[in-house]
């Protein structure tokens, strides 16, 4: 079978994790089968459409490497790929339904329909529009809604994720095909587009499962073959009880990129929201995902979004990335003061903090002391109120003596990391003190921070002159 999948979002807002997962799974199915992945924009709800949303969707897919083969900005054999540019096609298919007696002009006002709803509620019965279907509807003129005339029946179908499903005829109803503004509804347009674009797999969110019997009824009325259906479970909030929302901290995908999350990490993390390959593996490269992905291994229950696991995943990809590849990515995240320093110095700094980075936006916080002098007030505060447990046991007089001896032993050093390590470890034995006291005191003097990268490497990168200058300044601070 020729595999053609699609991602068909509406440009009504930013693309979040749930949408990206749907796109990713559709992309993986296509790439695994060496098929085509299509981007189609379902832009028929003009009231909800947001300026810039189309560009955001396109940029999100491209930055994650989910390149589509056909789409609104690159064309393809089934163009156009914006539904607002396909209106004539929907009218032609609508006319086929009218000719078959399977569609009719809706003669009712909004107020009349609401009255029908109220009556059903009062009678404690479900509202079904087909119970109020007009016996002699007017000829459709394109200015009133066009409704599908359903033929209710039980349905059985197979979903690649949810398995075998079935419903009774009571869920099949007459729904709007084309609105009074001339634009089609999703329920109609996506079926037409999928047929015309020869889409083999329809992968979409759980919110559409209740409408599937109506879609099956429409496929039959149009004489169309059903595509393979796959329903994605919800992505749940941190507590795992309800669907992830903005209130739970759900971000625009591009916000994660802006914060310094690597595309590879986002793809790996999102792929594991509701899917695994049956092993304990948690980190996947794109190549591994293409090789291992299987819709049948997508879980039926919701998948919890865990921001900490995302950070852990991103940190893993940062640590594994070669420094030469990570360095250009870091360029836009350095603190402002880093502009005065050369590329090699910044690369040396990056090599020290690479092991600790969870996302690139942490760079300024972790590295500022490499580019700017620590504030005396911050150094003094950390000596007055040390956070290191062992350092708390030492008096200021003892700390000052340790720093004096450290400066003496480092003065003749050639400041290679090997020599710094040897001298300070030797001083540790000579003074019979603990690393948690000596090294913590040096770290505060040098960085003005509660924590820092590996101390010996930090001293090496800062260099001899700057390191000794900061030690002496800290000694003066302890005298006051």
């Amino acid at each position: 079978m020729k595999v053609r999948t699609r991602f068909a979002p509406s440009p009504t807002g930013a693309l979040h994790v749930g949408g990206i997962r749907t796109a990713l799974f559709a992309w993986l199915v296509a790439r695994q089968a060496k098929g085509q992945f299509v981007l189609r924009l379902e832009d028929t709800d003009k009231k909800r459409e947001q300026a810039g949303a189309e560009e955001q969707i396109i940029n999100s897919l491209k930055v994650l490497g989910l390149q589509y083969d056909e789409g609104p900005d690159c064309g393809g054999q089934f163009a156009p790929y914006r539904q607002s540019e396909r209106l004539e096609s929907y009218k032609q298919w609508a006319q086929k339904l009218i000719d078959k007696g399977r569609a009719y002009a809706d003669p009712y006002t909004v107020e009349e329909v609401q009255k029908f709803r109220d009556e059903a509620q009062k009678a404690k019965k479900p509202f079904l529009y087909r119970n109020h279907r007009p016996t002699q509807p007017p000829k459709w003129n394109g200015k009133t809604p066009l409704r599908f005339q359903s033929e209710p029946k039980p349905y059985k179908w197979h979903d690649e994720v949810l398995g075998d499903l079935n419903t009774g005829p009571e869920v099949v109803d007459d729904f709007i095909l084309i609105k009074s503004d001339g634009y089609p509804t999703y329920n109609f347009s996506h079926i037409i587009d999928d047929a015309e674009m020869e889409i083999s797999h329809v992968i979409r969110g759980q919110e559409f499962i209740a409408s599937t019997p109506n879609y099956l009824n429409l496929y039959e009325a149009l004489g169309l073959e059903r595509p393979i259906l796959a329903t994605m479970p919800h992505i749940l909030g941190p507590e795992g009880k309800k669907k992830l929302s903005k209130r739970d901290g759900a971000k625009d995908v591009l916000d994660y990129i802006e914060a310094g999350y690597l595309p590879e990490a986002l793809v790996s993390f999102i792929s594991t929201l509701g899917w695994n390959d049956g092993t304990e593996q948690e980190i996947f490269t794109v190549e591994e995902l293409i090789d291992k992905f299987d819709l049948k291994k997508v879980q039926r229950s919701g998948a919890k979004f865990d921001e900490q696991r995302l950070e852990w995943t991103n940190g893993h990809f940062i640590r594994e990335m070669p420094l030469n590849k990570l360095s250009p990515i870091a360029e836009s995240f350095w603190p402002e003061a880093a502009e005065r320093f050369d590329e090699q110095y910044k690369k040396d700094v990056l090599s020290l903090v690479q092991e600790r980075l969870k996302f690139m936006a942490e760079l300024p916080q972790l590295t500022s002391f490499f580019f700017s002098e620590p504030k005396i007030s911050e150094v003094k505060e950390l000596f007055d109120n040390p956070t290191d447990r062992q350092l708390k046991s030492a008096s200021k007089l003892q700390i000052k003596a340790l720093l004096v001896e450290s400066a003496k032993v480092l003065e003749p050093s050639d400041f290679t990391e090997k020599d710094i390590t040897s001298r300070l470890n030797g001083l540790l034995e000579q003074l019979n003190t603990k690393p948690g006291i000596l090294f913590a005191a040096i770290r505060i003097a040098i960085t003005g921070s509660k924590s820092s990268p590996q101390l010996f490497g930090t001293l090496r990168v800062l260099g001899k002159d700057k390191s000794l200058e900061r030690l002496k300044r800290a000694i003066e601070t302890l005298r006051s």
Side-chain angles (χ1 to χ4, degrees):
M1 182 182 69
K2 183 170 66 172
V3 172
R4 286 177 57 82
T5 67
R6 49 77 160 174
F7 179 52
S10 297
T12 54
L15 193 55
H16 293 93
V17 173
I20 283 293
R21 185 186 62 174
T22 300
L24 171 60
F25 287 3
W27 183 83
L28 288 171
V29 169
R31 290 293 173 263
Q32 190 176 66
K34 294 181 171 53
Q36 287 80 45
F37 174 59
V38 177
L39 173 63
R40 186 175 72 227
L41 294 173
E42 302 194 337
D43 61 340
T44 59
D45 191 342
K46 293 302 178 182
K47 291 180 180 177
R48 294 180 58 229
E49 191 170 324
Q50 290 187 14
E54 177 179 324
E55 182 181 14
Q56 193 270 351
I57 290 167
I58 289 172
N59 289 342
S60 296
L61 294 177
K62 288 184 176 179
V63 78
L64 293 177
L66 306 184
Q67 188 61 51
Y68 40 89
D69 303 292
E70 302 165 28
D73 59 332
C74 62
Q77 62 176 322
F78 299 107
Y81 294 92
R82 292 182 187 88
Q83 287 188 334
S84 61
E85 299 171 2
R86 301 175 63 83
L87 300 185
E88 190 57 39
S89 176
Y90 307 131
K91 288 178 183 177
Q92 291 172 8
W93 283 91
Q95 190 60 51
K96 291 180 183 180
L97 290 171
I98 293 171
D99 295 343
K100 286 183 175 183
R102 297 300 302 275
Y104 60 92
D106 185 341
Y108 299 118
T109 64
V110 173
E111 291 75 20
E112 287 173 319
V113 173
Q114 186 58 49
K115 183 181 177 182
F116 298 151
R117 291 183 185 278
D118 294 341
E119 289 172 353
Q121 186 176 17
K122 189 176 180 180
K124 296 183 179 179
K125 294 180 179 179
F127 169 71
L128 290 169
Y129 197 94
R130 55 183 162 86
N131 290 339
H132 306 277
R133 187 184 296 164
T135 54
Q136 290 184 315
K139 184 177 180 180
W140 186 56
N141 59 11
K143 296 179 181 179
T144 57
L146 181 70
R147 279 192 181 265
F148 175 55
Q149 183 167 310
S150 62
E151 291 184 354
K153 56 181 283 190
Y155 275 105
K156 292 182 179 180
W157 73 97
H158 180 76
D159 187 285
E160 291 296 295
V161 174
L162 301 180
D164 292 329
L165 302 172
N166 63 84
T167 61
E170 66 278 359
V171 299
V172 179
D173 198 11
D174 294 5
F175 57 87
I176 294 177
L177 300 169
I178 297 182
K179 298 173 288 185
S180 58
D181 62 4
Y183 285 97
T185 61
Y186 168 83
N187 293 339
F188 181 47
S189 58
H190 86 274
I191 288 178
I192 303 306
D193 291 339
D194 288 343
E196 292 191 339
M197 295 181 183
E198 300 179 3
I199 299 301
S200 62
H201 294 65
V202 172
I203 301 167
R204 59 185 164 212
Q206 197 168 329
E207 59 270 25
F208 297 104
I209 193 69
S211 300
T212 300
N214 284 324
Y215 303 154
L216 299 180
N217 208 232
L218 183 55
Y219 283 126
E220 290 176 355
L222 292 169
L224 297 174
E225 186 178 345
R226 302 177 190 175
I228 293 171
L229 303 176
T231 300
M232 299 297 105
H234 288 315
I235 294 179
L236 306 176
E239 296 181 0
K241 295 179 180 179
K242 59 181 182 178
K243 188 177 176 181
L244 183 69
S245 68
K246 290 183 180 179
R247 289 187 296 273
D248 299 314
K251 298 176 185 174
D252 171 349
V253 169
L254 294 180
D255 286 343
Y256 283 111
I257 296 295
E258 193 173 328
Y261 286 82
L262 302 180
E264 303 95 316
L266 284 165
V267 167
S268 176
F269 171 76
I270 292 170
S271 74
T272 61
L273 291 175
W275 172 84
N276 68 68
D277 65 343
T279 71
E280 297 297 315
Q281 185 172 344
E282 293 187 73
I283 301 290
F284 295 88
T285 64
V286 171
E287 291 75 18
E288 286 175 322
L289 287 172
I290 292 173
D291 180 56
K292 296 183 176 187
F293 185 75
D294 186 347
L295 281 171
K296 289 182 173 62
K297 291 184 179 179
V298 176
Q299 68 187 36
R300 299 182 184 187
S301 57
K304 187 171 73 171
F305 183 86
D306 186 342
E307 187 95 26
Q308 288 185 327
R309 191 166 72 85
L310 172 57
E311 287 186 1
W312 173 82
T313 301
N314 198 60
H316 171 86
F317 276 89
I318 288 175
R319 290 190 297 276
E320 294 296 310
M321 184 171 283
L323 193 62
N324 283 340
K325 187 176 177 183
L326 186 64
S327 187
I329 296 172
E331 197 56 40
S332 60
F333 292 96
W334 289 114
E336 189 176 338
E339 292 181 6
R340 305 191 306 270
F341 294 79
D342 63 36
E343 294 305 311
Q344 187 56 53
Y345 181 78
K346 287 188 282 190
K347 190 177 284 190
D348 288 343
V349 172
L350 185 60
S351 70
L352 284 176
V353 299
Q354 183 175 7
E355 205 50 41
R356 304 180 66 204
L357 278 171
K358 297 188 292 295
F359 47 93
M360 301 305 291
E362 290 184 308
L363 263 182
Q365 177 188 347
L366 293 176
T367 66
S368 60
F369 60 83
F370 283 102
F371 307 104
S372 304
E373 292 297 314
K375 293 180 181 177
I376 289 291
S377 58
E378 293 174 352
V379 174
K380 189 174 186 304
E381 172 61 25
L382 286 172
F383 281 136
D384 288 343
N385 301 290
T387 57
D388 300 86
R389 182 174 55 82
Q390 292 182 349
L391 195 60
K392 287 180 180 179
S393 65
S395 68
K396 284 189 179 180
L397 193 62
Q398 290 173 314
I399 293 172
K400 175 187 166 187
L402 291 174
L403 294 181
V404 168
E405 293 303 315
S406 299
K408 285 180 182 177
V409 82
L410 288 173
E411 184 73 48
S413 173
D414 61 7
F415 253 68
T416 59
E417 194 163 330
K418 181 179 179 181
D419 190 55
I420 292 170
T421 303
S422 174
R423 288 175 180 274
L424 289 182
N425 282 333
L427 182 63
L428 198 66
E429 292 183 17
Q430 177 189 327
L431 299 178
N432 193 28
T433 187
K434 298 176 180 177
I437 297 176
L438 176 63
F439 296 162
I442 297 173
R443 187 196 70 240
I444 290 172
I446 295 294
T447 70
S449 176
K450 296 177 183 178
S451 61
S452 72
Q454 190 256 69
L455 179 62
F456 305 141
T458 297
L459 289 165
R460 173 187 60 78
V461 171
L462 279 170
K464 183 174 182 177
D465 292 344
K466 191 170 288 185
S467 297
L468 291 174
E469 180 186 326
R470 291 186 183 182
L471 280 171
K472 290 170 183 176
R473 191 176 69 152
I475 293 167
E476 291 299 320
T477 300
L478 288 165
R479 283 177 183 157
S480 56

